[in-house]
Amino acid sequence: MQEEGCRALGNLACDGEARKQAIADAGGIEAVVDELRLHIAAPAVCYTASSALHSALDQHAANSKRFEQCGGIALFEDIVVKVGDDGSIVQVKDI
């Protein structure tokens, strides 16, 4: 469920500046960071959440600031995921 929500947010963020702002106004940046905290040991959630945040933060200074303020940068120091040769998501850092 968390993966699908993150995927939907990421797709929405790709739809332009107004959508990125709407995500932020609805608390979407903080919600994704909270999901990462809850599911930090789940590589698939980390991967889709990271992708969604990338889309929402890309070239959007206000969203990047929100991400920093809610502790996203510190959280990402604990998350390293990698896609395997077969397309599977594997954890590559012990947490």
Side-chain angles (χ1 to χ4, degrees):
M1 182 73 152
Q2 287 77 12
E3 291 172 61
E4 293 304 319
C6 290
R7 190 172 291 115
L9 265 176
N11 288 337
L12 189 62
C14 290
D15 222 8
E17 187 77 18
R19 300 286 185 162
K20 289 179 183 184
Q21 189 59 52
I23 289 167
D25 292 345
I29 305 299
E30 295 84 354
V32 174
V33 170
D34 287 345
E35 284 306 309
L36 281 170
R37 282 192 184 100
L38 290 172
H39 302 285
I40 197 165
V45 174
C46 291
Y47 181 80
T48 54
S50 298
S51 179
L53 286 167
H54 171 73
S55 297
L57 304 179
D58 186 42
Q59 297 183 10
H60 198 284
N63 283 0
S64 297
K65 186 70 172 171
R66 289 179 84 118
F67 175 71
E68 180 182 0
Q69 290 174 335
C70 71
I73 292 172
L75 182 62
F76 264 73
E77 291 174 354
D78 290 334
I79 300 171
V80 179
V81 294
K82 176 181 151 184
V83 177
D85 292 337
D86 63 353
S88 64
I89 299 169
V90 294
Q91 192 82 32
V92 295
K93 178 179 177 183
D94 286 333
I95 51 175

